């Protein structure tokens, strides 16, 4: 642990040279420091899409504790870990978690190399029913994972996580099963979605899929949304990356909204209030 902290302080000194590395994660101006971090990365030639700046989002709530999410360039998302009684406090805590992960992502151990791939495949084989021999067969889970890792050599784990989130959502949504039924190979699916980022078009289509499922099983969307909110809350309080859980919430909320619009025949003024209520994480 001490070696990790020493490495983090070394990275802080390099990417934020005017900052006291010993107190970086306690600094009250951590929001500004997070902005400076990504501004420097952008200036250093790292491709950052202009529409994906550091974005803060406070979950609708009339009273504390407040929840804030921060989305980084590329799509990685983090939330406040502590119980916060002001929105400003929640914003600072979310920025602190995001900054820690951003800096940790700069460590050499977080870059995908052949050594990293070998180690990751061994860990995957030890925790699943697969074997290392499956790594050469893209039709297996480990083989698909190996193919994705090898397609992203040189990238960091946060960059790789963005791609993994797409496939997590495709699996959750049932789209991967449909692709298999249509005889699409995993190589084709991985190649296509590795070049396509999550956007409103993808979310809308996934929402339509859930509306179709709702017609066969009424109440399914609300049930899945409650589960997604529970998972989002648990992941946030554990300090984990939240993109997958937050995207599930967005897609299901969109599906629920469209479903209510279909039932009502038109958009009513109470519609947004219902969606905001559905967005709130359940308190323990």
């Amino acid at each position: 642990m001490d070696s990790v902290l020493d490495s983090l302080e070394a990275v802080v000194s390099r990417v934020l040279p005017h900052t006291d590395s010993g107190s970086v994660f306690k600094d009250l101006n951590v929001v500004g420091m997070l902005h400076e971090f990504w501004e420097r990365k952008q200036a250093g030639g790292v491709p950052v899409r202009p529409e994906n700046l550091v974005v803060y989002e406070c979950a609708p709530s009339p009273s504390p504790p407040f929840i804030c999410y921060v989305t980084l360039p590329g799509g990685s998302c983090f939330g406040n870990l502590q119980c916060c009684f002001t929105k400003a406090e929640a914003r600072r805590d979310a920025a602190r978690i995001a900054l820690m992960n951003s800096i940790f992502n700069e460590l050499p151990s977080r870059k995908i190399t052949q050594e990293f791939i070998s180690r990751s495949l061994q860990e995957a084989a030890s925790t699943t029913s697969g074997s290392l021999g499956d790594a050469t067969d893209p039709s297996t889970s480990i083989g698909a994972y190996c193919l994705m890792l090898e397609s992203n050599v040189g990238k960091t784990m946060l960059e790789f996580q963005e791609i993994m989130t797409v496939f997590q959502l495709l699996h959750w949504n049932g789209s991967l099963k449909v692709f298999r039924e249509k005889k699409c190979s995993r190589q084709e699916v991985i190649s296509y979605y590795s070049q396509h980022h999550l956007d409103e078009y993808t979310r809308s289509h996934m929402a339509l899929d859930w509306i179709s499922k709702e017609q066969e099983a009424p109440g399914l969307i609300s049930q899945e949304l409650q589960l997604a909110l529970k998972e989002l809350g648990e992941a946030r309080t554990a300090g984990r990356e939240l993109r997958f859980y937050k995207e599930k919430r967005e897609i299901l909320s969109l599906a629920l909204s469209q479903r209510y619009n279909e039932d009502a025949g038109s958009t009513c003024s109470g519609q947004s209030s219902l969606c905001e209520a559905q967005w709130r994480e359940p308190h323990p």
Side-chain angles (χ1 to χ4, degrees):
M1 181 65 181
D2 289 340
S3 61
V4 172
L5 291 176
D6 290 341
S7 299
L8 284 175
E9 289 190 1
V11 175
V12 171
S13 298
R14 176 166 56 85
V15 299
L16 298 171
H18 305 298
T19 301
D20 177 8
S21 59
S23 62
V24 60
F25 301 123
K26 298 179 181 179
D27 196 295
L28 291 179
N29 193 30
V30 69
V31 172
M33 292 162 59
L34 180 64
H35 177 79
E36 181 186 353
F37 176 92
W38 284 100
E39 191 175 55
R40 284 180 174 273
K41 283 186 70 70
Q42 188 173 19
V46 176
V48 178
R49 294 190 296 277
E51 69 274 17
N52 284 344
L53 304 175
V54 176
V55 177
Y56 293 89
E57 172 194 354
C58 284
S61 178
S63 59
F66 293 105
I67 296 170
C68 183
Y69 304 102
V70 55
T71 301
L72 303 177
S76 295
C77 179
F78 299 92
N80 57 298
L81 185 60
Q82 299 178 353
C83 180
C84 299
F85 292 94
T86 68
K87 292 182 179 180
E89 182 185 358
R91 179 186 174 100
R92 286 195 298 269
D93 194 49
R96 178 178 64 85
I97 300 299
L99 180 60
M100 289 178 65
N101 280 275
S102 297
I103 293 176
F104 183 66
N105 193 57
E106 294 295 302
L107 297 177
S109 62
R110 301 296 290 173
K111 184 161 289 189
I112 299 175
T113 62
Q114 290 302 327
E115 180 182 356
F116 179 92
I117 292 174
S118 177
R119 186 169 63 251
S120 298
L121 292 177
Q122 289 176 357
E123 292 176 357
S126 66
T127 57
T128 65
S129 58
S131 67
L132 280 177
D134 295 334
T136 57
D137 183 2
S139 66
T140 65
S141 296
I142 290 182
Y145 182 50
C146 179
L147 180 61
M148 291 181 66
L149 285 170
E150 291 180 341
S151 301
N152 290 275
V153 170
K155 293 186 178 180
T156 65
M157 283 307 296
L158 279 185
E159 292 172 316
F160 181 65
Q161 182 61 44
E162 180 184 7
I163 299 171
M164 282 295 294
T165 297
V166 175
F167 288 93
Q168 285 178 292
L169 289 170
L170 290 173
H171 175 72
W172 163 73
N173 196 55
S175 298
L176 289 182
K177 181 180 179 181
V178 174
F179 290 141
R180 285 196 299 271
E181 293 172 349
K182 292 183 177 180
K183 308 300 181 183
C184 295
S185 69
R186 291 199 179 190
Q187 296 98 314
E188 292 173 328
V189 176
I190 291 173
S191 176
Y192 178 82
Y193 281 100
S194 292
Q195 305 300 320
H196 291 75
H197 299 282
L198 281 171
D199 53 21
E200 293 304 319
Y201 178 83
T202 305
R203 294 186 189 95
S204 295
H205 273 267
M206 288 190 176
L208 289 174
D209 288 339
W210 282 101
I211 291 175
S212 297
K213 295 174 184 178
E214 171 86 1
Q215 293 172 346
E216 299 177 2
L220 178 63
I221 296 178
S222 293
Q223 180 181 339
E224 284 288 326
L225 181 54
Q226 291 305 313
L227 177 60
L229 289 170
K230 181 175 181 291
E231 292 175 340
L232 178 60
E234 293 173 345
R236 180 182 59 79
T237 54
R240 293 160 58 188
E241 202 276 329
L242 305 176
R243 180 78 182 279
F244 173 56
Y245 309 102
K246 192 165 177 289
E247 288 290 348
K248 286 172 66 173
R249 185 198 72 178
E250 299 288 343
I251 291 166
L252 291 166
S253 295
L254 177 61
L256 190 64
S257 175
Q258 292 179 349
R259 181 65 172 163
Y260 270 93
N261 281 337
E262 287 180 0
D263 292 342
S266 61
T267 303
C268 62
S269 59
Q271 183 80 42
S272 59
S273 297
L274 172 65
C275 290
E276 287 183 358
Q278 294 284 359
W279 269 31
R280 296 175 193 164
E281 295 177 12
H283 293 302

